Amino acid sequence: MVEDKKYEENDSELVDEELVVEDEENVTEETEENTVEEAEVDETNEASSSDEAEELKMALIRLQADFNNYRNRVNKEKAQMIRFATESLIEKLLPVLDNFDRAIESCVDNPSIAEGFSLIRADLMKTLEAQGLEEIASDGAKFDPNLHNAVVMEDYDGESGIITETFQKGYKLGDRVIRASMVKVSK
């Protein structure tokens, strides 16, 4: 029996050694599996970080484009408001120009007063021209319904469609007519 015990003891040692070897193999396999899983997680994290960085980059580009569009729209609206305010003021000053023309015509017998009115009108017109105002050519010009308003038609020996007399001067602001000329046109 002593031998049996020895054998049993030896047997248990063998079993223990086998368990240790199996445990070491399991630990090695688990470590390798964990390392592979960690590498996959790292790759996934890198891929998601790369995707996230790309999404943020695209969001920034869209945001910059939206801001540029907003800035352009605001600048365009501001320019339109300035143009509208300028046009409104000039339209209110056109009767003043007409009154200067009438005053100059009525002072035919007093040239010094007519000259004074002419100088004042010229200064006012110079200021308005700096803002883009142009007088529409009328006397002797070909009638253009976009620029002229025919209030009288008369028989004329010369070419038809020619403006023979201007009743009220017309003006353009840039390329926009703000007041058409009132004219007499030959038939």
Side-chain angles (χ1 to χ4, degrees), residues 43 50-51 63 86-87 98 114 118 130 135 146 151 168 186:
E43 288 175 10
S50 175
D51 291 343
L63 185 62
T86 302
E87 183 177 328
D98 295 337
S118 293
E135 190 174 309
N146 296 319
V151 291
Q168 185 180 40
S186 64

Side-chain angles (χ1 to χ4, degrees), residues 93-109:
L93 289 174
L94 291 180
V96 175
L97 283 173
D98 295 337
N99 288 336
F100 275 116
D101 290 336
R102 287 186 200 103
I104 293 167
E105 288 175 12
S106 69
C107 294
V108 175
D109 55 335

Side-chain angles (χ1 to χ4, degrees), residues 136-142 148 162-167 183-184:
I136 297 173
S138 54
D139 284 341
K142 182 119 176 105
H148 307 107
I162 300 297
I163 298 170
T164 58
E165 186 178 346
T166 303
F167 299 116
V183 295
K184 183 191 293 186

Side-chain angles (χ1 to χ4, degrees), residues 100 103-105 107-123:
F100 275 116
I104 293 167
E105 288 175 12
C107 294
V108 175
D109 55 335
N110 196 341
S112 62
I113 292 175
E115 185 180 345
F117 282 135
S118 293
L119 292 173
I120 294 170
R121 185 192 186 283
D123 283 344

Side-chain angles (χ1 to χ4, degrees), residues 49-63:
S49 295
S50 175
D51 291 343
E52 186 177 322
E54 188 64 31
E55 287 175 18
L56 289 173
K57 182 179 176 184
M58 293 306 294
L60 177 64
I61 290 170
R62 281 192 296 274
L63 185 62

Side-chain angles (χ1 to χ4, degrees), residues 143-182:
F143 177 75
D144 181 356
N146 296 319
L147 302 175
H148 307 107
N149 183 14
V151 291
V152 177
M153 298 285 288
E154 72 174 346
D155 290 328
Y156 190 69
D157 293 338
E159 187 181 345
S160 68
I162 300 297
I163 298 170
T164 58
E165 186 178 346
T166 303
F167 299 116
Q168 185 180 40
K169 291 181 180 179
Y171 297 94
K172 293 188 323 182
L173 186 60
D175 58 349
R176 185 170 176 197
V177 175
I178 59 173
R179 185 172 83 182
S181 299
M182 290 197 316

